[in-house]
Amino acid sequence: MNFDLSVIPNKNIILGVTGGIAAYKSAILVRRLKDAGFNVRVVMTEGAQAFITPLTFQALSGNPVHTQLLDPEAEAGMGHIELARWADLLLVAPASCDTLAKFAAGLADDLLSTLYLATKAPVWVAPAMNQQMWAAKATQRNLNTLVEDGVHVILPDAGVQACGDVGLGRMPEPEDLALQVTGYFHRAQRAIAEKFGLLAGKHVVITAGPTREAIDPVRYISNHSTGKMGFALAASCYAAGAQVTLIAGPVSLDTPNGVRRINVQSAVQMLDQSMSLLDQGCDVFIATAAVADYRVAEVAEHKIKKAGDELNVSLIKNPDIVATIAQQEKRPFMVGFAAETRNVEEYAAGKLVAKKLDMIACNDVSRADIGFASDENAMIVFFAEQYHMQKRDLEKASKQEIAQQLVEAMHDALHYEAKDFDHD
Ligand code: C5P
């Protein structure tokens, strides 16, 4: 079957599985949650283990399965309090009447009921049971208590039940549950973005301007980059709630408000600073700098004296900063720029792949009205294939407006990375 899930990175779900025939559906649910990018740890009650083995969940989640409250081995690794803290969501599916009753009463006589009391994470339950048990006054009373206590109840579907009865009590399909969970995290992220900005909580590092490659103590090789695009992006990222560090080559621009600036001269210095910022934790790396492709092989110690009609200076290749950062194990979301004079889209798409970027913004610098020293720009943005996002045309506008649209593109790719899943 084919269905769309939007990937949510770096969120942790504890899936509580209790005793019921619907426990087999939870195995598929683990796969769907993993597909959606969640880290999943499964906690099983004793009843659940009568229907399905911990080994199945271990294999599907890629994590050890937790079955006991005070298992010395588990407590030495991730004990029940760590587990409770680890969770961004506690999802109990299927939730039996017994577990619902324990939650409602505040009992803590097994791992799952203890986690319920110990976690600060939101709790969702997907009750699944015989229709008569679902309708029982005690079950409904417990559910009302849970709703009052802030638990989100996913109502069961109606239909033919395993016992032959017809009525309410079937656990919704795993795909449906996974979509509800991803939808919840998307809404939460959107609410944060609306309140605190599109890049709230992110550390963004931006390289900007030209580099200056010394020939001797008074001369250098450089280019016409003014750094305007990078500085405009730094201002936009800061306005979008990010913590921003700007690694700037020699430019005559004021540091945007709230932005931390590190001045460098050469490409090698720019790379050194980029690498050390990576160690400090960087979520998004934006390379707007026009880095000199070559530097002088041997910088003269003293000013080179005028002599003869020719002077030969031997050049060696500079490191590719953005490509180097993209190769690191803990790589941030990587954004590159491409300034081309022809075959703009083709060259940019090639660089996206060759440099292993997540996103690239390209412009046609042969156009006199936009680009380098201009205050305006027009760009086309491409995303890496795994995002399944359409390219975006950013019409000619001020560099500040273009920067704002680039921030939106980054936010969309960071949070709404869409994937097609082809499931068996
Ligand atoms: O290969 P090209 O210079 O066209 O690639 C442009 C992109 O690569 C820009 O994002 C630029 O900042 C980055 N780059 C880099 N280090 C280099 C050369 C380019 O980070 N040495």
Side-chain angles (χ1 to χ4, degrees), residues 207 287-293 318-323 335-338 340 351 355:
T207 66
T288 67
V291 183
D293 289 326
N318 261 332
D320 190 312
I321 298 168
V322 80
V335 183
F337 280 73
E340 305 290 346
K351 278 177 195 172
K355 299 189 187 220

Side-chain angles (χ1 to χ4, degrees), residues 5 10 28 94 101 120 136 157 203 209 246-247 280 342 388:
L5 270 186
N10 304 325
I28 305 165
K120 275 205 249 170
D157 289 341
H203 180 205
L246 188 57
I247 308 176
Q280 293 166 32
R342 64 198 165 101
H388 290 261

Side-chain angles (χ1 to χ4, degrees), residues 299-320:
V299 180
E301 198 182 334
H302 297 287
K303 186 178 171 190
I304 300 171
K305 287 302 200 193
K306 208 179 330 179
D309 290 338
E310 271 185 32
L311 172 69
N312 289 315
V313 180
S314 159
L315 301 178
I316 53 169
K317 203 153 193 197
N318 261 332
D320 190 312

